[in-house]
């Protein structure tokens, strides 16, 4: 769905829930400009979602990530992260192609072949040593490269900060996973579930310290996350500030921050 | 103010966060003031900025990794930050348009709290940064007055991450004016956060100062001193 077509739906949702932020009066141009720059017309509703997310996180996600960290030694967790990231490579490849990034497409293809063959199904990250460092792409970024606007800021429980464009991208990436469409075998369906659970655990485990720090050091963690997410996405879209790290789950669960 | 692209921002000390269209008539006046303003920033020499970050980074790493009690290490780090960071300019940038609304007493309190909070935030993470190393990457002169110095920070048992330092020249000396971690600018994030606290408290600066005091107390308690 195009972000512009999401807008009427959001307006209806706003009216129904009386969840819209009150825009500042037109007599205060500075406040109006800031309100527009924040791009968060349904802030009250988003803050409620953030509260719900935090409750789920405190009760389930963070404790599960702690257990995952305690039970599995660092090399095993690294192996799991590498496998998850290798499984995501076809989606990165597709988005490289859709963005017309031929060189990055070649890198991703080479990475997939090397890590799958020499890296034993992706357990070992060998492609970086061959001069092919990882990068991340997703369909939200592809939409942005195609000129789609982000739409209003959204906070979705469990998924974290987003917007109509990135949420659409998340759905498309999910649908583009070859494993999503393979069914008929219980073993494969179980593998899908294991992969999803491992993805959530891996993402949340890597964010234990960054999120703890953010919550402890921030006067308004919601505002800090919103700002950090939007800056991070802008950097991702322009492929700025990459340090050659793979992204095992695509959209980072619960934050939009990076490990 | 735009949060999408930090390159568009007006960054001079005391510069307005954004210039509404209706106030364009103020522009000549503003430019006039800027020309006579003392301590105006000039383009900093890229190689000098790179050397400055290497030296500052080494001092910070040495202070963090020192074999000394936490209080002592915190004082060392605070001394490095006071020397290297344009605390006045960064503090004002973060308060943005609310700086003009604050009374001069609130401005002074804010600057003091801002400095203490920055130091406390960093010292609360010393444990996390034990054994930290960094390597200097490329140095780019930016379209504006600043130079961007890239570094890669490595910690034991943790993936390396990119940390960029924005260096400006203040009163003839290079000074850090922003830190950008993996594409996220510290001063932009903090400006958004502080503005949100003030907006949610009916546009008053005092509740922000209270929140900062509370935060400093919490951090100090967690550190045990």
């Amino acid at each position: 769905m195009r972000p512009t077509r999401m807008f009427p739906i959001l307006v209806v949702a706003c009216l129904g829930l009386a969840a819209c932020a009150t825009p500042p009066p037109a007599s205060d141009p500075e406040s109006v400009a800031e309100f527009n720059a924040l791009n968060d017309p349904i802030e009250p509703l988003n803050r409620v979602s953030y509260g719900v997310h935090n409750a789920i996180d405190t009760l389930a996600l963070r404790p599960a990530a702690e257990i995952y960290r305690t039970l599995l030694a660092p090399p095993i967790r690294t192996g799991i992260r590498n496998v998850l990231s290798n499984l995501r490579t076809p989606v990165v490849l597709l988005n490289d192609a859709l963005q017309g990034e031929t060189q990055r497409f070649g890198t991703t293809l080479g990475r997939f072949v090397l890590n799958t063959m020499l890296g034993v199904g992706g357990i070992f990250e060998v492609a970086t040593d061959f001069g092919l460092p990882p990068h991340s792409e997703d369909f939200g970024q592809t939409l942005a490269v195609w000129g789609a606007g982000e739409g209003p800021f959204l906070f979705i429980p469990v998924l974290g900060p987003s917007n109509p464009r990135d949420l659409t991208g998340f759905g498309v990436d999910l649908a583009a996973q070859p494993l999503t469409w393979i069914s008929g075998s219980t073993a494969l369906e179980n593998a899908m579930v294991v992969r999803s659970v491992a993805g959530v655990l891996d993402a949340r485990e890597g964010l234990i310290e960054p999120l703890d720090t953010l919550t402890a050091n921030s006067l308004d963690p919601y505002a800090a996350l919103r700002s950090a997410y939007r800056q991070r996405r802008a950097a991702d879209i322009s492929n700025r500030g990459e340090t050659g790290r793979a992204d095992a789950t695509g959209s980072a669960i619960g934050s939009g921050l990076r490990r | 103010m735009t949060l999408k692209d930090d390159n568009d921002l007006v960054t001079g000390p005391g510069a307005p966060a954004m210039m509404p269209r209706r106030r364009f008539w103020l522009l000549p006046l503003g430019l006039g003031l800027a020309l006579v303003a003392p301590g105006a920033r000039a383009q900093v020499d890229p190689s000098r900025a790179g050397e400055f970050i290497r030296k500052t980074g080494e001092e910070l790493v040495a202070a963090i990794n020192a074999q000394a009690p936490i209080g002592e290490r915190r004082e060392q780090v605070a001394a490095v930050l006071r020397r290297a960071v344009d605390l006045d300019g960064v503090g004002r940038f973060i308060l943005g348009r609310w700086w003009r609304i604050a009374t001069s007493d609130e401005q002074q309190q804010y600057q003091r709290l801002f400095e203490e909070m920055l130091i406390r935030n960093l010292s609360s993470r010393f444990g996390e940064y034990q054994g930290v190393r960094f390597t200097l990457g490329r140095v780019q002169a930016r379209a504006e007055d600043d130079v961007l110095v890239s570094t890669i920070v490595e910690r034991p048992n943790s993936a390396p991450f990119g940390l960029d330092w924005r260096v400006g020249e203040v009163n003839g000396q290079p000074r850090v004016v922003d830190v950008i971690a993996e594409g996220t600018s510290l001063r932009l994030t903090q400006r958004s956060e502080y503005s949100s606290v003030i907006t949610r408290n009916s546009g008053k600066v005092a509740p922000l100062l209270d929140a900062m005091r509370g935060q400093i107390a919490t951090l100090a308690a967690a550190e045990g001193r």
Side-chain angles (χ1 to χ4, degrees), chain A residues 26 30-31 33-34 37-38 47 150 213 216-220 223-224 227-228 230-232 234-235 243 245 258, chain B residues 1 3-4 18 97 100 121 125 128 159-160 162 182 184-185 188-189 193-196 200 208 211-212 215 219:
Chain A
E30 281 199 326
S31 301
E34 183 172 7
L38 282 180
R47 282 194 186 260
E150 59 186 326
T213 305
N217 290 357
S218 176
L219 299 181
D220 185 343
S227 174
R230 296 186 63 209
Q231 291 182 56
R232 178 68 227 168
T243 43
R245 220 147 8 105
R258 287 299 167 89
Chain B
M1 180 173 69
L3 296 171
K4 284 180 201 157
M18 43 112 236
R97 66 194 176 103
R100 280 175 283 123
N121 274 347
R125 301 170 70 179
E128 217 180 298
E182 303 258 298
T184 307
S185 145
L188 280 183
T189 308
E193 188 185 319
Y194 283 17
S195 187
S196 173
R200 285 161 66 79
L208 172 73
M212 288 169 88
Q215 184 73 8
L219 288 169

Side-chain angles (χ1 to χ4, degrees), chain A residues 163-186:
Chain A
N163 54 51
R165 182 196 65 205
D166 293 346
L167 200 60
T168 308
F170 182 72
V172 171
D173 286 336
L174 211 60
Q177 299 272 6
L179 275 179
T180 306
W181 301 101
I182 299 171
S183 62
S185 144
T186 323

Side-chain angles (χ1 to χ4, degrees), chain A residues 3-242:
Chain A
T4 43
R5 281 168 62 189
M6 282 291 285
F7 193 67
I9 299 171
L10 281 168
V11 169
V12 172
C14 270
L15 292 173
L17 293 156
C20 282
T22 321
S27 56
D28 186 355
E30 281 199 326
S31 301
V32 172
E34 183 172 7
F35 181 81
N36 292 336
L38 282 180
N39 189 32
D40 193 2
I42 57 161
E43 180 172 341
L45 179 62
N46 279 335
R47 282 194 186 260
V48 171
S49 296
Y50 177 66
V52 171
H53 169 80
N54 266 346
I56 297 171
D57 188 63
T58 310
L59 291 173
L61 297 179
R62 196 182 182 287
E66 292 267 20
I67 293 169
Y68 176 76
R69 176 179 283 188
T70 313
L71 290 183
L72 300 179
I76 299 173
R77 278 187 268 129
T78 305
I80 292 173
R81 181 168 297 170
N82 289 344
V83 169
L84 288 168
S85 138
N86 196 47
L87 285 173
R88 221 189 95 77
T89 312
V91 172
V92 177
L93 190 72
L94 178 70
N95 284 296
D96 281 335
L98 292 173
Q99 292 177 32
E101 295 272 4
T102 45
Q103 201 176 346
R104 284 161 76 90
F105 178 89
T107 304
T108 308
L109 189 63
R111 283 181 52 72
F112 188 65
V113 172
L114 284 170
N115 281 342
T116 307
M117 309 293 279
L118 295 180
V120 199
I123 297 172
F124 302 102
E125 164 66 45
V126 292
T128 304
D129 297 333
F130 283 88
L132 299 176
H135 63 259
S136 178
E137 283 299 348
D138 55 68
F139 196 68
Q141 292 184 51
T142 300
L143 286 174
V145 169
W146 289 353
E150 59 186 326
F153 180 77
L154 298 174
F155 198 99
I156 319 268
V158 183
L159 206 61
S162 193
N163 54 51
R165 182 196 65 205
D166 293 346
L167 200 60
T168 308
F170 182 72
V172 171
D173 286 336
L174 211 60
Q177 299 272 6
L179 275 179
T180 306
W181 301 101
I182 299 171
S183 62
S185 144
T186 323
L188 268 175
E189 277 167 21
N190 286 344
M192 269 294 290
V193 173
V194 168
R195 182 201 173 174
S196 306
V197 172
V200 172
L201 290 174
D202 169 68
R204 189 61 187 90
E205 188 272 330
L207 287 166
I208 289 177
E209 281 78 20
L211 277 182
D212 283 358
T213 305
L214 184 114
T215 318
N217 290 357
S218 176
L219 299 181
D220 185 343
Y222 170 82
L225 271 179
R226 177 178 61 194
S227 174
Y229 176 73
R230 296 186 63 209
Q231 291 182 56
R232 178 68 227 168
R233 288 301 285 175
D236 280 344
I237 289 160
S238 61
N239 298 337
R240 269 188 286 133
E242 293 187 329

